[in-house]
Structure formats: C-alpha cells, structure tokens
C-alpha cells in the first residue's frame, strides 16, 4: 500500500471556491475513479492550508490512476479550473505503508 499526502497553500480569499469545487466535483469524481480518500480538510491553525490524503495499491497504481484521472474530461471540465486557480503552492509526499 502507498499513501500520498498533499498539502496545499491556497491563495487569499479562495477557501470557499476551493471547498465548493472539491466537495461538489473533485471528491465525487475521485471516488468514481476508485481513488481511496483517507482524509482531507483545512488546517485548524491556518484556513489557507488544506490537506488531502489518498492511498493506492502501489506506486504503479498511483501513477496510472492519477494519469487517467487528471486527463479525464470529468476532471478537466469539472473542478480543475476552480481548484488550480485557488492553489498558491503544494507539497506532496508518498510513502509505503
């Protein structure tokens, strides 16, 4: 099993836009694509910091699944624009369980 943790720093005043796009479009789409979401949410110390924790069967499964998901019409025509435009920066770490 492989776990991925992504920490996003959002641009000022984009929290509501990001949250709406994530909850209504991105999260359901990831679930449809079989991406296992372990946890997500805003930091209790900084409302501009958002985390997303996902798990995959292997590194290869992660690579394949994310390539397919992020190239899909569902992502590109769904939450992509609102989410990408809300993010100032991000950091990702991946580790084996």
């Amino acid at each position: 099993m492989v776990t991925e943790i992504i920490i996003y720093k959002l641009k000022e005043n984009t929290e509501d836009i990001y949250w709406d796009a994530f909850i209504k479009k991105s999260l359901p789409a990831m679930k449809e694509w079989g991406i296992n979401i372990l946890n997500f949410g805003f930091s209790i110390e900084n409302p501009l910091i958002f985390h997303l924790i996902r798990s995959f069967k292997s590194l290869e499964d992660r690579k394949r699944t994310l390539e397919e998901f992020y190239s899909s019409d569902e992502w590109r025509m769904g939450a992509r624009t609102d989410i990408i435009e809300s993010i100032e920066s991000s950091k990702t770490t991946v580790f084996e369980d």
Side-chain angles (χ1 to χ4, degrees), residues 2 11 15 17 25 29-30 32 34 38 45 49 53-54 61-62 78 83 85 93 95:
V2 169
K11 296 174 186 172
E15 306 95 313
I17 294 167
K25 298 175 184 174
M30 285 189 283
E32 258 184 56
L38 300 176
E45 297 179 327
I49 303 297
I53 305 173
R54 310 185 280 199
D61 176 56
R62 175 182 175 264
I83 285 184
E85 290 180 359
T93 188
F95 58 92

Side-chain angles (χ1 to χ4, degrees), residues 55-97:
S55 70
F56 302 89
K57 294 175 187 166
S58 65
L59 280 175
E60 297 78 21
D61 176 56
R62 175 182 175 264
K63 183 177 189 283
R64 179 189 48 76
T65 300
L66 294 181
E67 283 176 357
E68 290 174 1
F69 174 71
Y70 288 122
S71 65
S72 72
D73 286 343
E74 188 170 11
W75 166 251
R76 292 184 358 224
M77 297 176 164
R80 183 185 185 280
T81 299
D82 286 341
I83 285 184
I84 296 296
E85 290 180 359
S86 298
I87 297 171
E88 182 174 304
S89 63
S90 67
K91 296 271 186 184
T92 301
T93 188
V94 180
F95 58 92
E96 282 189 300
D97 296 347

